[in-house]
Amino acid sequence: MKLVLKYGGTSISNTKDIQSVAKHVISLSKKNQLVIVCSATSGTTDDLIEISESIKKENKSKAEQLASKITNRHKQLAKQTIKKSDIQKKLLIKLNDDFKELVALIDGLVLLGEVTSRSMDYLISFGERFSGKLLAAAINDLGKKAIPLTGKEVGIVTDSNFSESKPLMDTTRLRVSKSIDTLFSKKTIPVVGGFSGADQHGHTTTFGRGGSDYSATIIGSCLKADEIWLMSDVDGLMTADPKIVKNAKLLKEVSYTEAIEMALFGAKQIHPRTFEPLLAKKIPMKIRNSSNAKNEGTLVTSSPSASVKNTVKCVSNIRNNGLIDIQGGSMIGTPGTAAKIFATLAKAGINVMMISQNPSESSITIVVKNSDLNKAVSVLEMDLLGKIIKKLEVTTGVSIIALIGSGMRGTIGVASKVFAAIEKNKVNVSMITQGSSELNLALVVKNSDTNTAVRAIHDAFTLDKIN
Ligand code: ASP
Ligand code: MG
């Protein structure tokens, strides 16, 4: 099989884990053609982002301190993990070159006193440069040829939308398949640092947080891989958060569309565009635990087998949001009201998570993250209060509960079952949305009611007996 294996940061952040990943890769490579994609080690991307914050605050010493923290962490990992002295020495030289480049970049940015989105992408792409080199060396250390590559080196070409770039797939397909095929013919395992590519001018771009998942599916689609495995520290997608529901179960199979909903609702953090490259080629994906190889994980496919087409597959939740009820008499029958509200929010960079409008058009209710709430309220007040908006009513500390499952489509009685279960537990629902795809039914409750509501719904649909 042609396999793309993507390792998350938590799977490659200490010596024992890196060595066991390298061992697993080597044993799989006996029967399969492998491409490895990796994230940065845990905390590294956060540290790089903090470097940029420090530069903006003109705190050069803090930026340098963080850079040496990253440096020391990787040097120490290299020394502890790589046993063969020649391989370790070569790795340390290569890491040192990267560190010098990182320090020079920081110096340059400090001089300029600004961090543009282009230099930001260059800066935060360093995490995967370090981890890719480390993992490739660990594979070399066990006697197998492996070579580290950045997204740019492997041939991922993107648009110039820094921090949220998208691949230009035609060019990318040609370049990636050529570079990987050359390595396959030399029996060398490519270890690609995820998260980044380069635009047509050669400037480094990134895909946004969690983007290594997306790197893996882009490469998988270019190679027409047989499967893509996302390896991390969880067993797969679950019917609910096991911290809330004790008898939550691992989902054996879900469809792409269900997985997309589950990714958005935070069941497991997966980059939202991860599934896009897989849809056309129908490449199956597995979500697996790197330290539990026996567990098959969750299979994400275009057509899950009939036996697993349950009505509802999971009930997930996102706490700590704010609800804004936007009211105003002149909103009724006025075309463009919603456009003005959402344009105002978009201009302020606020992501709206839920929207509902009642048919009388007298109010529009939205949910945003708590951290965006103050800003959302103030821009709406500043730009629209007294014009199309008469009043804003704000509720803080609310939780979104989402039921996901393609079997809900056209099934009668789902909503009544949900509300009966919730009512029995005396939980008040302050907002409901369901897209017309009927793939996702979401409700808003108080933060403090989250666990009760999730458990009640999990019970009502007997999700503990799902497989
Ligand atoms: N290292 C990047 C991040 O932390 C990308 C990734 O982990 O997938 O967001
Ligand atoms: Mg990650």
Side-chain angles (χ1 to χ4, degrees):
M1 281 210 293
K2 214 185 268 177
L3 282 180
V4 178
L5 300 183
K6 181 259 166 178
Y7 287 93
T10 50
S11 303
I12 49 166
S13 291
N14 64 53
T15 291
K16 194 171 133 271
D17 288 345
I18 298 171
Q19 286 169 342
S20 90
V21 164
K23 234 181 170 167
H24 189 221
V25 165
I26 289 179
S27 86
L28 282 168
S29 73
K30 294 193 176 115
K31 288 201 181 129
N32 305 285
Q33 280 186 317
L34 301 182
V35 179
I36 312 301
V37 176
C38 61
S39 288
T41 56
S42 299
T44 302
T45 310
D46 291 335
D47 286 342
L48 290 163
I49 291 170
E50 213 183 322
I51 289 181
S52 80
E53 299 301 325
S54 310
I55 294 170
K56 283 181 208 156
K57 287 186 201 134
E58 293 176 23
N59 191 343
K60 187 178 181 199
S61 65
K62 174 86 193 179
E64 285 171 345
Q65 200 185 317
L66 285 158
S68 35
K69 178 177 153 199
I70 298 173
T71 310
N72 293 337
R73 182 191 306 153
H74 288 89
K75 274 191 186 155
Q76 203 185 1
L77 271 176
K79 286 182 192 153
Q80 286 168 351
T81 311
I82 311 300
K83 298 279 175 272
K84 294 196 179 118
S85 67
D86 55 328
I87 297 177
Q88 191 195 95
K89 216 165 132 195
K90 269 192 214 145
L91 171 62
L92 285 170
I93 291 171
K94 280 199 243 161
L95 288 177
N96 222 19
D97 289 343
D98 282 347
F99 298 136
K100 279 194 216 142
E101 192 178 323
L102 176 61
V103 171
L105 173 63
I106 293 173
D107 280 345
L109 294 175
V110 168
L111 273 178
L112 289 170
E114 64 170 3
V115 185
T116 60
S117 56
R118 183 171 125 191
S119 35
M120 179 73 177
D121 273 7
Y122 178 26
L123 174 66
I124 60 178
S125 73
F126 271 81
E128 278 75 7
R129 285 171 58 171
F130 300 140
S131 62
K133 291 193 173 83
L134 197 57
L135 186 54
I139 298 170
N140 290 154
D141 204 33
L142 298 180
K144 177 93 196 157
K145 281 193 276 180
I147 192 165
L149 298 161
T150 60
K152 177 177 171 177
E153 286 164 344
V154 81
I156 298 178
V157 183
T158 72
D159 58 20
S160 302
N161 194 6
F162 295 99
S163 84
E164 243 184 88
S165 65
K166 286 206 188 80
L168 306 175
M169 276 315 272
D170 290 334
T171 323
T172 298
R173 188 166 292 116
L174 288 174
R175 295 197 188 177
V176 168
S177 53
K178 191 165 163 224
S179 63
I180 300 279
D181 282 342
T182 313
L183 292 171
F184 279 167
S185 68
K186 293 185 194 154
K187 303 237 173 308
T188 301
I189 302 176
V191 181
V192 183
F195 188 38
S196 72
D199 70 3
Q200 283 165 304
H201 310 286
H203 302 306
T204 300
T205 53
T206 69
F207 299 126
R209 293 307 303 265
S212 303
D213 299 332
Y214 194 28
S215 305
T217 57
I218 292 167
I219 293 172
S221 145
C222 294
L223 302 177
K224 297 199 191 71
D226 295 291
E227 284 182 9
I228 293 171
W229 296 0
L230 294 191
M231 311 294 285
S232 70
D233 56 348
V234 300
D235 282 335
L237 300 174
M238 307 281 293
T239 54
D241 181 347
K243 283 187 221 111
I244 300 177
V245 180
K246 288 227 164 55
N247 55 2
K249 287 276 147 55
L250 179 77
L251 288 160
K252 289 198 175 138
E253 255 185 78
V254 303
S255 66
Y256 290 134
T257 37
E258 288 168 333
I260 290 169
E261 294 285 327
M262 290 179 195
L264 290 176
F265 276 83
K268 170 184 172 346
Q269 294 294 323
I270 300 177
H271 188 282
R273 281 205 298 274
T274 300
F275 297 96
E276 262 170 38
L278 305 182
L279 298 177
K281 302 221 160 56
K282 300 196 163 74
I283 301 172
M285 174 192 278
K286 283 184 181 159
I287 299 169
R288 305 187 59 176
N289 191 331
S290 64
S291 53
N292 186 3
K294 273 187 242 118
N295 195 319
E296 276 294 310
T298 302
L299 173 67
V300 186
T301 86
S302 59
S303 48
S305 45
S307 61
V308 286
K309 279 191 188 132
N310 300 63
T311 316
V312 173
K313 289 228 174 110
C314 86
V315 44
S316 46
N317 64 280
I318 316 175
R319 276 177 233 257
N320 299 330
N321 309 294
L323 184 146
I324 311 175
D325 193 41
I326 306 163
Q327 304 164 4
S330 65
M331 286 165 50
I332 302 171
T334 313
T337 304
K340 281 191 192 121
I341 290 171
F342 293 113
T344 303
L345 293 167
K347 218 170 52 199
I350 289 157
N351 184 39
V352 179
M353 301 164 80
M354 276 173 85
I355 306 166
S356 92
Q357 179 184 268
N358 54 349
S360 79
E361 301 176 30
S362 61
S363 85
I364 290 178
T365 312
I366 61 168
V367 177
V368 299
K369 288 217 175 74
N370 258 0
S371 51
D372 280 339
L373 188 61
N374 281 342
K375 198 168 169 198
V377 171
S378 79
V379 291
L380 288 172
E381 282 179 347
M382 242 160 19
D383 289 9
L384 304 176
L385 196 66
K387 295 173 193 156
I388 55 169
I389 299 177
K390 225 194 223 149
K391 196 171 152 205
L392 293 175
E393 245 171 52
V394 178
T395 317
T396 55
V398 299
S399 180
I400 302 176
I401 313 267
L403 284 79
I404 298 161
S406 47
M408 290 197 284
R409 191 175 303 141
T411 305
I412 295 170
V414 175
S416 72
K417 211 163 161 179
V418 172
F419 295 113
I422 290 209
E423 191 199 315
K424 233 195 289 170
N425 287 279
K426 307 211 168 14
V427 171
N428 181 47
V429 175
S430 41
M431 178 179 176
I432 306 161
T433 63
Q434 182 184 50
S436 55
S437 70
E438 298 183 38
L439 200 65
N440 185 328
L441 174 72
L443 23 125
V444 175
V445 302
K446 275 196 282 191
N447 264 345
S448 55
D449 283 335
T450 311
N451 292 5
T452 313
V454 169
R455 285 182 198 131
I457 296 169
H458 199 271
D459 274 355
F461 288 89
T462 56
L463 292 182
D464 57 320
K465 302 201 174 62
I466 195 150
N467 290 310

